[in-house]
Amino acid sequence: MSSVSTDFPRVSPTDPETVAPPASLSPAGRRRGRGLAHSLVDDFSARIRDGELRPGDKLPTEAAIMQTFGVSRTVVREALSRLQAGGLVETHHGIGTFVLQPRAAGMFRLDAGDVTTSVDVLAVLALRISLETEAAGLAAGRRSEEQLQAMRQALDDFEANVVQAGDTVAPDFRFHLTIAQSTGNPYFADIMSHLGTTIIPRTRINALRNLGRGGEYLSRVNREHEEIYAAIARRDPESARAAMRIHLTNSRERLRVAQEDARRQPRDPAGA
């Protein structure tokens, strides 16, 4: 690993896990109207783009980032999930998070701005049903114990954030991405990473976003996750495929029902 710079130390397992906090996350410099996770993503992205962090460099641990920037573990995990979804870093569970080589121009990516309507989201769900159903089956036969533990942690984080009314998108995406990584075929994870959190319907559709504020809706989503996890844990490919297909088919149905309910709501004359 390359030598450490003084302003932003690159860390190895034996290096002090310190990092200079960005102005956007310092007490005096926090940007109003922007989440802490967003600011953290912006800062790490800039350092990677400017070459302060180079491919192969290891990021500080979650605990070190929490202490340095004064943010919660949830904020750190959401930021790392976004960086991973953007193809900037890759996490090896039990080892650390590392900066990736920049993507080649022309690589496939579905930008968030491209997924703006229920029709778009339904099209993405159709893609996911094909892709992730098979990924779940492969993961059931090929996953490692570390990958299974990472799935478990994502579901635990999801459930904790339901109770606390916190962010559930990051652990939701992390769960699905870990399944893709567990297939042993890097292209599954590549496609999921390129799609990013746009694959989560409630990030794009207001009707589902409103439902997502309710614990009952999110708890039902995570119960479906638990069925997928249980099948993968017992190495049952067919049950894993079935559980994933049911989950994504239910997501499609929830979108349809939410959109119908929204259309039935009377319009506010003041907002017309």
Side-chain angles (χ1 to χ4, degrees):
M1 189 170 294
S2 55
S3 60
V4 177
S5 65
T6 56
D7 58 339
F8 196 123
R10 299 190 190 106
V11 297
S12 69
T14 58
D15 288 331
E17 293 174 327
T18 57
V19 57
S24 61
L25 287 175
S26 64
R30 287 178 180 164
R31 302 180 184 123
R32 292 190 178 187
R34 301 184 69 187
L36 294 179
H38 194 146
S39 296
L40 195 57
V41 169
D42 282 351
D43 185 80
F44 275 95
S45 298
R47 292 173 189 262
I48 293 171
R49 183 175 58 251
D50 295 342
E52 295 179 44
L53 285 170
R54 295 197 288 268
D57 286 347
K58 182 181 178 183
L59 299 189
T61 63
E62 289 181 0
I65 297 174
M66 289 166 58
Q67 181 176 6
T68 302
F69 296 114
V71 295
S72 69
R73 188 176 299 276
T74 298
V75 168
V76 173
R77 287 182 174 173
E78 180 181 351
L80 292 177
S81 291
R82 291 183 186 181
L83 289 168
Q84 187 164 324
L88 296 178
V89 302
E90 182 176 49
T91 297
H92 299 276
H93 296 286
I95 302 175
T97 299
F98 298 85
V99 178
L100 292 174
Q101 288 284 352
R103 287 179 180 155
M107 286 188 71
F108 168 75
R109 179 168 178 80
L110 180 62
D111 291 322
D114 295 334
V115 186
T116 56
T117 69
S118 59
V119 174
D120 297 327
V121 175
L122 285 170
V124 172
L125 280 170
L127 171 65
R128 291 182 63 195
I129 289 172
S130 299
L131 177 73
E132 294 193 67
T133 294
E134 183 59 22
L138 292 173
R142 299 176 181 178
R143 55 83 179 167
S144 68
E145 288 301 318
E146 285 182 350
Q147 288 166 333
L148 186 66
Q149 183 179 1
M151 294 177 212
R152 179 70 268 159
Q153 185 63 60
L155 295 187
D156 290 345
D157 291 346
F158 187 111
E159 190 62 32
N161 286 351
V162 170
V163 174
Q164 300 167 10
D167 171 61
T168 57
V169 171
D172 193 333
F173 177 72
R174 186 156 27 102
F175 174 69
H176 285 274
L177 180 60
T178 304
I179 291 174
Q181 292 169 336
S182 302
T183 63
N185 183 330
Y187 293 106
F188 280 95
D190 283 350
I191 293 173
M192 291 291 290
S193 294
H194 297 332
L195 288 171
T197 55
T198 57
I199 68 170
I200 310 298
R202 62 184 179 278
T203 66
R204 312 306 307 160
I205 301 298
N206 286 334
L208 286 178
R209 191 178 296 120
N210 293 334
L211 271 180
R213 296 190 181 104
E216 182 181 351
Y217 165 80
L218 292 173
S219 293
R220 185 164 63 250
V221 169
N222 214 32
R223 283 196 297 272
E224 294 170 8
H225 288 161
E226 291 285 357
E227 291 295 326
I228 300 167
Y229 171 83
I232 293 174
R234 64 177 183 266
R235 299 188 183 276
D236 184 342
E238 290 309 311
S239 293
R241 289 186 180 96
M244 181 65 80
R245 180 174 289 278
I246 289 171
H247 169 53
L248 295 176
T249 301
N250 285 348
S251 292
R252 186 171 58 187
E253 180 64 11
R254 281 188 286 266
L255 172 58
R256 186 189 65 78
V257 171
Q259 289 295 93
E260 286 183 357
D261 289 346
R263 282 194 292 268
R264 285 196 292 264
Q265 293 295 324
R267 294 187 63 185
D268 182 359

